[in-house]
Amino acid sequence: QVQLVESGGGLVQAGGSLRLSCAASGSIFSIDDMAWYRQVPGKQREMVAGITRASTTNYADSVKGRFTISRDIAKNTVYLQMNSLKPEDTAVYYCNARTMLRTQYWGQGTQVTVSS
């Protein structure tokens, strides 16, 4: 089992920045990839950014150049630095961990609200 706890969400004005953190605990040795997803009411959850154990990253087109995902293996933590935030970035952001056996775990989510 893997437990994920997100933090760092909040209210920010358009153009501002936030940094989300996701701390993993439990069977962390089994974690392969980690990612951030987001979801707004009435829409499907979408992947925002992902990072592999080898630190290869990928991003949704909508956040490229503005968001940066990083991973501190020693602290079992993944971060999402969000710059130049837009109102359309408003969502609940979820941390995701995928094990080598492809089991997925989710955090409880953290709200990000960007005001115009």
Side-chain angles (χ1 to χ4, degrees):
Q1 291 286 332
V2 173
Q3 294 80 43
L4 303 171
V5 178
E6 301 106 333
S7 60
L11 173 64
V12 65
Q13 287 190 333
S17 298
L18 282 174
R19 189 176 83 153
L20 305 183
S21 300
C22 172
S25 61
S27 301
I28 54 175
F29 61 89
S30 66
I31 295 175
D32 196 5
D33 304 333
M34 296 191 75
W36 287 95
Y37 285 71
R38 66 187 181 188
Q39 189 171 25
V40 297
K43 291 191 175 182
Q44 280 193 327
R45 193 171 294 188
E46 63 171 355
M47 196 192 79
V48 175
I51 187 166
T52 68
R53 179 176 283 272
S55 296
T56 301
T57 59
N58 64 292
Y59 298 92
D61 288 343
S62 58
V63 306
K64 281 181 181 176
R66 300 188 297 121
F67 291 11
T68 302
I69 189 170
S70 60
R71 187 172 181 176
D72 187 330
I73 299 292
K75 294 183 178 180
N76 305 316
T77 300
V78 64
Y79 304 97
L80 185 67
Q81 178 67 43
M82 305 186 293
N83 299 327
S84 302
L85 281 161
K86 304 175 181 180
E88 51 263 45
D89 294 318
T90 295
V92 178
Y93 283 70
Y94 295 91
C95 181
N96 170 274
R98 188 170 62 176
T99 71
M100 289 174 275
L101 295 178
R102 294 301 179 250
T103 301
Q104 293 200 65
Y105 295 92
W106 295 92
Q108 80 286 356
T110 185
Q111 177 71 46
V112 171
T113 303
V114 184
S115 63
S116 57

